[in-house]
Amino acid sequence: MTGTEGDVEGSVEGVGGGVPRRTAVGGYLEPIRAGGALLWREGAGGTEVVLIRRPDRGDWTLPKGKLKNREHTIVGAVREVREETGLTPLLGRRLPPQRYLKDGWPKQVEWWAATPADPGGGIDYPPNEEVELVEWVRAEEARDRLTYDHDVQVVDNFLAGPATTFPVILLRHLSAGEKRTWNGEDLLRPLDRAGRADALALSRLLGAYGRPRVVTSAAARCTESVLPYTVEFDAPTHTERAFTVHQPSAGSSAAGGPSHSVEEARKAFAQILAEGRPTVVCTHGELVPHLMAEALTQLDAPFTQQLGLRKGSFWVVHVASRGGGLAAVERHAVRA
């Protein structure tokens, strides 16, 4: 282990002589954004993780890389791991990010625990100028072999929590125009152009977590939000009345405002949590805060002050497969 890639805190190479100098003292430097995953499996000798060796630096590190312009963090992390290992990661629980200096500039790497999509497959990765070796290494040995302290911290963070988890993804439907401009039956209000485009992007994000089933509101804007994902990944899906908010149409004899039961929705969501299956729940903004509150209550976790979601955003609640405790929570928008 040798620190953080040879960088000096708060310095860059000086002009004409290469002497490090302080820069932006007391200020902010927008970090380089990167993503990666700690690939793990249970081997004969215990937990193993994937390490890579880079020939240009002669170091051992974890698979990660810089995000492309406007690339979603999830997409970038999956892409980088696949490019550097030949293995497709299925994302598990989110791990704490690592922030350090790279050539004097801050770099922030977002991390996930992950398992290979093909758990029985070996590593068949041809050496190249960026990565010359990819190996499964026992976690304890990996801590000693890794070159950088921040990579060791990623391994330690993984080992500190549950390895096996399942995600429950709570999605607020995508953009469907404005209620006041829709004259038809509210349940039939479809996605607008932006929502349809985002539905295609959403498919890649949900697919990064494997092949979770879908339980969705019966409203068209919800079923259409998850349709590309269910088709592309052949994910089982069904509608749930408890997650459906029905706005009575103009001239309807129904009295009052939107029709839904918070109590029934929370009960249905609690059942999903108890079943222990990876699941996407697509519903409406009115119900999202109540469902997140139910999840945090069931998992005996503290509440965040921001339970709600904007359209096209989702919570991922990672639950420990053994014991059912909260393993991690992350929130994303479909658009990076």
Side-chain angles (χ1 to χ4, degrees):
M1 271 188 320
T2 60
T4 56
E5 304 195 34
D7 294 315
V8 180
E9 183 74 27
S11 65
V12 297
E13 292 302 310
V15 177
V19 179
R21 63 179 176 84
R22 302 278 290 176
T23 184
V25 177
Y28 174 78
L29 296 175
E30 182 67 27
I32 300 166
R33 304 289 179 177
L38 184 142
L39 283 164
W40 71 276
R41 70 180 183 184
E42 289 299 334
T47 301
E48 299 175 339
V49 301
V50 166
L51 303 187
I52 64 172
R53 181 175 171 83
R54 298 183 294 189
D56 59 334
R57 302 181 188 184
D59 59 3
W60 285 97
T61 186
L62 300 171
K64 62 182 179 299
K66 294 187 294 292
L67 304 181
K68 297 179 180 179
N69 288 337
R70 301 184 65 82
E71 185 176 39
H72 200 286
T73 309
I74 292 173
V75 174
V78 170
R79 175 186 56 77
E80 283 290 341
V81 172
R82 186 187 298 118
E83 289 178 357
E84 293 191 341
T85 68
L87 302 171
T88 298
L90 299 182
L91 301 184
R93 84 179 196 266
R94 186 81 173 264
L95 300 175
Q98 295 297 307
R99 187 177 174 115
Y100 52 91
L101 291 179
K102 172 62 179 168
D103 298 328
W105 199 274
K107 181 176 183 178
Q108 181 164 316
V109 187
E110 307 297 336
W111 286 101
W112 283 264
T115 53
D118 181 8
I123 295 176
D124 183 17
Y125 188 80
N128 56 63
E129 60 182 11
E130 293 187 2
V131 178
E132 65 178 352
L133 194 59
V134 180
E135 282 190 15
W136 284 104
V137 179
R138 289 179 56 250
E140 294 77 8
E141 180 186 342
R143 295 186 76 262
D144 294 330
R145 193 186 299 190
L146 283 166
T147 303
Y148 309 116
D149 290 340
H150 52 77
D151 283 340
V152 175
Q153 186 61 58
V154 174
V155 175
D156 288 345
N157 288 337
F158 168 71
L159 295 175
T164 306
T165 61
F166 65 91
V168 175
I169 301 171
L170 179 57
L171 167 70
R172 182 177 177 184
H173 67 75
L174 304 173
S175 178
E178 297 293 335
K179 294 178 183 179
R180 63 178 180 272
T181 63
W182 176 254
N183 295 321
E185 168 62 45
D186 181 62
L187 286 176
L188 300 180
R189 178 157 56 94
L191 298 181
D192 58 22
R193 176 184 292 183
R196 291 192 296 273
D198 286 346
L200 297 175
L202 176 66
S203 180
R204 294 184 66 188
L205 303 183
L206 298 181
Y209 295 96
R211 185 174 164 264
R213 63 172 175 168
V214 171
V215 181
T216 178
S217 158
R221 54 194 179 275
C222 291
T223 59
E224 291 179 10
S225 293
V226 294
L227 180 61
Y229 163 70
T230 60
V231 172
E232 181 177 356
F233 290 89
D234 192 26
T237 181
H238 75 267
T239 59
E240 172 56 65
R241 181 182 181 88
F243 298 144
T244 304
V245 174
H246 179 207
Q247 179 74 46
S249 58
S252 170
S253 59
S259 172
H260 63 277
S261 167
V262 170
E263 182 179 353
E264 289 182 8
R266 291 184 66 139
K267 182 178 180 181
F269 199 60
Q271 179 61 35
I272 287 172
L273 290 166
E275 289 172 356
R277 294 177 58 186
T279 304
V280 176
V281 172
C282 185
T283 188
H284 308 259
E286 294 93 329
L287 290 177
V288 167
H290 300 289
L291 300 187
M292 270 302 292
E294 181 65 25
L296 297 176
T297 298
Q298 292 292 328
L299 299 172
D300 194 25
F303 277 40
T304 173
Q305 293 180 345
Q306 298 177 326
L307 293 174
L309 292 171
R310 293 185 176 183
K311 291 178 182 178
S313 298
F314 58 94
W315 288 106
V316 185
V317 180
H318 297 273
V319 184
S321 298
R322 296 181 181 179
L326 182 66
V329 177
E330 53 185 310
R331 179 171 59 187
H332 297 281
V334 174
R335 299 188 186 188

